[in-house]
């Protein structure tokens, strides 16, 4: 089993819609919320593809960072059952340490991707990290395998455009900090990869398109376009269906190389901590 069976989890960062969207008029995102409104939330997903059902379990958490004023988003996925055997007990972990920038938006400080598989002396540990240096307008990229450095790069950050990783983009939208959208109109966000600046395009679909794609009418459906090498797909198309609280209920990645369509479904929610 390839690591792409877990890739749907990365799509959860792109819940760029509001429960109050109108079909033809501009839809306002929720009123601007404090970061504390989402702290402590935990979302759990089942992952399936082709005829294999519930082949992996994923989880997304949002918590306070160790330093006051920072926040930690964590996305994990772990294969189970026969899939765990074939993937050598593979575990994927993605984290972003973030803070509120001078413009009031969350911005990444450190983003990591961590892959562990195998047991005993056959363990393999791959890790990549991005360190965001906003004063210098640059990003440092590092890759290690079993603790040995394999690649290091310094990449320029666009001087004029705000930069997000996928998790800060997700939580900025959940907190109502990135404006408004409407059906058929694109939202474009600057992102980053080891090749440098990139772009993500998000569009809320019209109801007739949602019906054609056979998504429940009770969901809010968005199409997300991103570089194929992000998730090793043949196309740029992914779809995410949201509930009225902007929680991604279903994520569908189209045409994953070697796997076809990959689907994740929300199965459990732990509500954010309610502060007194």
């Amino acid at each position: 089993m390839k690591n792409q069976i877990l890739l749907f989890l990365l799509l959860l960062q792109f819940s760029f819609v509001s429960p109050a969207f109108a079909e033809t008029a501009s839809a306002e995102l929720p009123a601007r919320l404090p970061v504390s409104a989402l702290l402590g939330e935990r979302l759990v997903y089942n992952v399936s593809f082709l005829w294999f059902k519930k082949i992996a379990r994923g989880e997304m958490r949002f918590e306070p960072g160790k330093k006051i004023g920072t926040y930690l988003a964590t996305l994990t996925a772990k294969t189970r059952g026969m899939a765990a055997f074939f993937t050598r007990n593979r575990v994927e972990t993605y984290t972003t340490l973030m803070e509120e920038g001078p413009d009031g938006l969350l911005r990444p400080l450190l983003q990591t991707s961590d892959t562990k598989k195998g047991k005993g002396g056959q363990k393999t540990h791959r890790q990549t990290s991005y360190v965001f240096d906003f004063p210098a307008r640059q990003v440092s990229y590092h890759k290690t395998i079993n603790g040995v450095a394999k690649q290091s790069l310094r990449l320029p950050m666009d001087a004029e455009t705000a930069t997000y990783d996928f998790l800060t983009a997700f939580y900025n939208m959940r907190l109502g900090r990135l404006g408004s959208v409407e059906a058929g109109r694109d939202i474009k966000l600057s992102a980053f990869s080891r090749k440098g600046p990139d772009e993500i395009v998000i569009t809320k679909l019209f109801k007739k398109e949602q019906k054609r794609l056979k998504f429940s009418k009770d969901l809010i459906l968005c199409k997300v376009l991103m570089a194929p090498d992000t998730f090793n797909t043949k196309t740029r198309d992914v779809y995410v269906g949201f509930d009225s609280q902007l929680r991604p209920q279903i994520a569908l990645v189209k045409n994953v190389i070697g796997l076809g369509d990959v689907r994740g479904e929300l199965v459990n929610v732990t509500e954010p901590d309610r502060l007194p």
Side-chain angles (χ1 to χ4, degrees):
M1 193 72 57
K2 299 180 181 179
N3 65 328
Q4 291 93 335
I5 64 173
L6 309 177
L7 62 85
F8 95 95
L9 292 169
L10 294 176
L11 305 176
L12 303 183
Q13 74 274 17
F14 305 123
S15 54
F16 306 121
V17 291
S18 163
F21 282 152
E23 188 68 9
T24 58
S26 176
E28 296 299 323
L29 289 164
R32 189 183 182 94
L33 299 172
V35 176
S36 60
L38 292 180
L39 290 176
E41 183 182 66
R42 176 175 172 264
L43 306 176
V44 178
Y45 292 81
N46 280 334
V47 185
S48 306
F49 75 95
L50 297 176
W51 54 86
F52 299 105
K53 304 299 182 182
K54 302 178 182 179
I55 204 168
R57 177 62 63 96
E59 180 179 303
M60 190 173 192
R61 302 191 308 274
F62 191 52
E63 304 164 306
K66 292 182 179 180
K67 182 179 178 181
I68 294 176
T70 64
Y71 311 96
L72 183 68
T74 304
L75 192 62
T76 60
K78 182 176 182 180
T79 51
R80 56 187 184 177
M82 288 299 294
F85 174 77
F86 287 114
T87 61
R88 298 173 58 208
N89 299 290
R90 191 181 192 106
V91 180
E92 301 274 353
T93 305
Y94 305 91
T95 66
T96 299
L97 181 67
M98 59 187 79
E99 67 177 3
E100 288 185 283
D103 59 358
L105 296 176
L106 293 171
R107 63 182 186 180
L109 298 173
L110 173 64
Q111 177 196 2
T112 66
S113 173
D114 191 285
T115 302
K116 296 178 181 178
K117 59 183 179 179
K119 291 184 177 181
Q122 301 299 315
K123 287 184 179 180
T124 301
H125 184 193
R126 296 172 181 266
Q127 186 176 58
T128 63
S129 65
Y130 292 86
V131 180
F132 293 80
D133 186 340
F134 288 95
R137 303 304 298 177
Q138 70 177 14
V139 178
S140 298
Y141 168 81
H142 304 280
K143 177 181 179 180
T144 64
I145 299 178
N146 294 335
V148 179
K150 295 295 182 179
Q151 187 177 21
S152 293
L153 298 170
R154 288 186 181 274
L155 305 166
M157 191 187 299
D158 191 299
E160 303 296 331
T161 305
T163 298
Y164 311 96
D165 77 310
F166 59 84
L167 288 169
T168 52
F170 174 76
Y171 285 106
N172 275 318
M173 296 303 295
R174 294 281 311 273
L175 294 168
R177 301 187 179 192
L178 287 180
S180 62
V181 298
E182 62 185 68
R185 185 176 182 181
D186 296 339
I187 286 181
K188 297 183 179 180
L189 296 175
S190 294
F192 225 88
S193 75
R194 64 183 178 84
K195 296 181 179 180
D198 208 327
E199 187 177 62
I200 301 161
V201 182
I202 309 97
T203 305
K204 178 185 179 292
L205 298 183
F206 289 100
K207 290 296 183 182
K208 61 181 180 180
E209 182 70 4
Q210 184 164 334
K211 182 178 179 180
R212 185 184 70 81
L213 293 168
K214 299 181 179 180
F215 275 77
S216 169
K217 65 180 181 180
D218 296 327
L219 295 177
I220 303 164
L221 183 61
C222 253
K223 181 178 182 179
V224 184
L225 301 179
M226 62 191 83
D229 60 357
T230 305
F231 302 128
N232 198 24
T233 58
K234 295 180 180 179
T235 67
R236 292 170 55 86
D237 301 349
V238 296
Y239 297 89
V240 186
F242 308 91
D243 65 17
S244 61
Q245 297 183 51
L246 300 184
R247 295 177 301 210
Q249 289 283 332
I250 298 174
L252 177 65
V253 188
K254 300 293 291 184
N255 297 308
V256 179
I257 295 174
L259 295 176
D261 297 348
V262 176
R263 182 183 183 93
E265 297 187 37
L266 183 64
V267 295
N268 191 33
V269 176
T270 299
E271 297 291 342
D273 295 331
R274 303 302 181 189
L275 299 179

